[in-house]
Amino acid sequence: MPLPTRGYAVKEAQAPLEPFDFTRRDLGAQDVLIDILYCGVCHSDIHQARNEWGNSIYPMVPGHEIIGRVVRVGSSATRFREGETVGVGVFVDSCRECRNCREGLEQYCERGFVPTYNGYERDGLTPTYGGYSTQIVVDETYVYNIPGGLSLPGAAPLLCAGITTYSPLRYFGAGAGQRVGVVGLGGLGHMGVKFAASFGAEVTVFSTSPTKERDARRLGAHHFVVTREAQNLAPLANSFDLILDTVSAPHDINALLNLLRRDGVLVQVGLPEKPFEVDPFSLPAARRKLAGSNIGSLRETQEMLDYCGAKGIEADVEVIPIQKINEAYERALRGEVRYRFVIDMASLKAETAL
Ligand code: NAP
Ligand code: ZN
Ligand code: ZN
């Protein structure tokens, strides 16, 4: 029997989120049923709710920073028990056969992973609905263990903002002796600062918001640069090993490339709706590299969660009831979030109990 579920959905681009009743599949042998406790609000939710990437499927229930409790496990699922705290991130399945899946890099599945929402299951027909909902059914292979000791709302954003910054900082070797820049102090950026500082790098935040300086330093940054004033960047030319660009809107990428020293790398993780214009001189001038990175694999996401558990790293969050989600989107777009909204799903369950 399909499982009746309440969520919040957008029915078309530009429409607000509103209550939406739908069903989850009943448990398959490998599935776990998760009672959702908290779900983070990622800027990707806003991009997709508003069809800014041009690939939106409606109705859409966003949400891919899910923390919940296992309430039931399928007949041959063995990884989790009832009552355990678990997480679900940006994808809930992948082809499991392509080269990248076989190498344990599911986030780069050549056939496209199955996104937690705004996509289809591997049957290509069944739409996926995300974490702004009371419960979710997921193959246990794509479910993470949440280490004890972390606050549950503070752990939710690790499932996307956390791994999306952890993975490139690890891959490109952020650490002692390295100068690392983090551009944009939002949900991703604030996690990037925490990780880069914890790996021992010298961290500079590049921000359009002068009011965030004190927070940046508290999060672990050593320097803070306001990017709106171009004269602030000139003295920093040719001095960074690695720059993590988390900005969600179109911006001048050449000004950032020029900050890289010889062989430095700019990793773009932000996904603005318009293409970048790269000045042909920016890269060759110092053999610089422009790279990209997409979330992280199953293995690396669990590694990141365990690292956070051991080091006590979690996101700075503002917990909201789901009834405030439309207002939260507007506030996120105005740059008012410090630094991630997280929905308390008790507020949604209260609606269904009425
Ligand atoms: P967010 O919380 O809204 O943060 C984005 C930050 O970018 C803002 O806080 C702001 O920081 C800066 N910013 C915004 N508009 C700007 C502008 N016009 N010019 C310069 N800076 C601007 O968003 P998020 O959730 O961190 O997500 C950031 C981006 O990453 C989004 O595009 C999202 O879709 C993408 N994303 C990618 C992946 C991936 O795997 N690659 C995963 C998750 C999210 P300041 O106030 O400090 O300037
Ligand atoms: Zn996300
Ligand atoms: Zn694959």
Side-chain angles (χ1 to χ4, degrees):
M1 285 280 284
L3 311 171
T5 303
R6 161 70 63 102
Y8 263 54
V10 270
K11 307 268 171 66
E12 57 181 325
Q14 312 309 332
L17 286 133
E18 54 183 65
F20 171 62
D21 291 311
F22 62 102
T23 55
R24 298 282 188 194
R25 67 172 180 267
D26 200 357
L27 266 69
Q30 295 292 332
D31 287 339
V32 293
L33 171 61
I34 300 166
D35 173 39
I36 301 177
L37 300 173
Y38 294 98
C39 184
V41 177
C42 179
H43 204 116
S44 300
D45 301 349
I46 305 177
H47 288 308
Q48 292 176 92
R50 300 184 174 193
N51 198 21
E52 289 173 0
W53 297 338
N55 66 349
S56 293
I57 303 164
Y58 299 104
M60 181 192 304
V61 177
H64 58 207
E65 293 184 338
I66 299 170
I67 293 281
R69 204 148 274 149
V70 175
V71 287
R72 199 142 57 86
V73 301
S75 55
S76 44
T78 54
R79 288 188 58 217
F80 300 101
R81 297 214 178 101
E82 272 174 43
E84 275 186 296
T85 306
V86 294
V88 178
V90 176
F91 53 91
V92 288
D93 209 337
S94 58
C95 85
R96 310 176 190 214
E97 288 167 356
C98 74
R99 185 176 150 204
N100 293 339
C101 282
R102 279 190 278 111
E103 289 182 11
L105 292 166
E106 304 82 5
Q107 75 274 37
Y108 302 116
C109 174
E110 290 170 4
R111 292 175 205 162
F113 58 66
V114 176
T116 303
Y117 68 88
N118 194 31
Y120 295 99
E121 297 285 356
R122 278 162 69 199
D123 64 10
L125 295 171
T126 313
T128 56
Y129 294 123
Y132 298 4
S133 59
T134 52
Q135 58 185 2
I136 191 167
V137 176
V138 183
D139 183 310
E140 64 168 1
T141 313
Y142 293 78
V143 176
Y144 306 101
N145 195 306
I146 302 299
L150 295 175
S151 90
L152 300 187
L158 301 178
L159 277 313
C160 177
I163 184 60
T164 300
T165 51
Y166 181 94
S167 181
L169 289 168
R170 281 292 196 218
Y171 183 80
F172 291 102
Q178 296 252 310
R179 294 187 75 184
V180 173
V182 176
V183 190
L185 198 62
L188 266 58
H190 96 290
M191 290 310 307
V193 171
K194 290 189 189 208
F195 286 130
S198 125
F199 300 162
E202 184 184 336
V203 183
T204 301
V205 167
F206 293 94
S207 173
T208 58
S209 310
T211 54
K212 293 181 180 173
E213 174 159 8
R214 194 196 293 198
D215 285 343
R217 292 186 189 274
R218 175 177 53 78
L219 296 166
H222 305 92
H223 313 281
F224 184 86
V225 178
V226 179
T227 46
R228 290 220 191 274
E229 288 138 44
Q231 77 270 16
N232 292 346
L233 299 182
L236 299 172
N238 297 301
S239 60
F240 283 84
D241 300 284
L242 180 63
I243 295 178
L244 189 63
D245 183 348
T246 76
V247 172
S248 51
H251 58 288
D252 180 9
I253 202 166
N254 300 299
L256 301 172
L257 287 169
N258 289 332
L259 302 175
L260 293 172
R261 62 165 51 131
R262 196 202 71 225
D263 295 324
V265 184
L266 186 144
V267 191
Q268 173 234 324
V269 292
L271 298 166
E273 66 275 23
K274 291 209 182 76
F276 291 110
E277 264 192 34
V278 179
D279 177 341
F281 286 84
S282 299
L283 296 171
R287 202 163 57 188
R288 299 174 175 121
K289 302 184 196 75
L290 175 57
S293 187
N294 203 22
I295 38 173
S297 66
L298 292 172
R299 185 198 56 72
E300 196 174 38
T301 301
Q302 189 62 58
E303 173 192 304
M304 177 274 313
L305 289 165
D306 295 342
Y307 181 83
C308 289
K311 299 271 183 181
I313 294 176
E314 49 185 68
D316 289 25
V317 302
E318 178 179 336
V319 177
I320 57 163
I322 200 156
Q323 294 78 13
K324 294 239 186 256
I325 187 66
N326 292 304
E327 194 184 310
Y329 275 23
E330 295 305 326
R331 287 181 58 205
L333 289 168
R334 288 199 300 269
E336 281 176 28
V337 53
R338 302 280 188 281
Y339 280 89
R340 194 59 132 190
F341 289 119
V342 172
I343 304 165
D344 180 351
M345 225 49 76
S347 60
L348 180 57
K349 291 166 199 162
E351 277 186 11
T352 59
L354 291 177

